[in-house]
Amino acid sequence: MATPRPLSSPDITRRLNEVLPHWRHQDGALRRDYRTGGWRATLLAANAIAHLAELAWHHPELELGYDHVGIRLSTHSAGGVTDLDLALAEEIERWLGWRPGPDSALSGTPAEHAYLIDDPG
Ligand SMILES: C[C@H](O)[C@H](O)[C@H]1CNC2=NC(N)=NC(=O)C2=N1
C-alpha cells in the first residue's frame, strides 16, 4: 500500500473540526490528551491504544503520566499528518469514548474507580 501524501494544515483543521473536536493539530502531528483516574488507569488506556495501533499497523507516540495519556500521531513514512493518522485517531476516540448506553445492562465504571475522565463538553 502506497504511503498517503501529507495533508495540508487547512485540510487537517477542517477534518478535526468535523469529526475530532477534542484533537488538535500541533507541531506537525495530531494531538490528544485523555485525563485518567491514576497510574493504573493510565496504563490500561495506553494498552487499549496500543492494541488499536497494532491492529491498524499505525503507531502513535504516547506520553504517560499519573493522570493522563498524551497521544501524538503522524505518519513517519510520509513526514506529516495523513489520512492514516485521522483514521486511527477516529478509532481511538471511538473506543476510548465508549460508555454503556442508558438502556445497557452494563453499569459503567463507578466514580470511585475513576478510569477515563470524561471531557467537559
Ligand atoms: C516500519 C514502519 O514503521 C511500519 O511499516 C509502519 C508501522 N507503523 C507506523 N506508524 C506511523 N505513525 N507511521 C508510519 O509510517 C508507520 N509505518
Side-chain angles (χ1 to χ4, degrees):
M1 176 180 162
T3 300
R5 290 166 45 82
L7 298 168
S8 70
S9 188
D11 275 350
I12 294 166
T13 301
R14 180 177 51 76
R15 296 274 293 278
L16 293 181
N17 289 339
E18 284 169 358
V19 295
L20 291 165
H22 295 300
W23 290 70
R24 61 194 188 278
H25 182 211
Q26 186 179 335
D27 301 329
L30 302 183
R31 305 293 305 274
R32 169 67 150 117
D33 292 297
Y34 287 96
R35 286 180 54 229
T36 70
W39 185 243
R40 295 176 193 174
T42 288
L43 292 178
L44 268 176
N47 275 281
I49 295 163
H51 169 78
L52 294 172
E54 194 66 3
L55 290 176
W57 195 241
H58 196 68
H59 304 87
E61 281 81 47
L62 297 179
E63 176 195 295
L64 306 184
Y66 178 76
D67 62 353
H68 75 278
V69 179
I71 305 174
R72 190 178 188 284
L73 261 174
S74 68
T75 303
H76 311 143
S77 53
V81 173
T82 72
D83 283 333
L84 300 176
D85 303 300
L86 289 163
L88 181 56
E90 284 191 60
E91 293 306 322
I92 291 170
E93 193 70 19
R94 182 202 319 270
W95 292 112
L96 269 70
W98 178 83
R99 302 293 187 273
D103 301 328
S104 172
L106 300 166
S107 66
T109 313
E112 63 268 25
H113 295 280
Y115 173 26
L116 289 175
I117 314 298
D118 289 321
D119 296 301

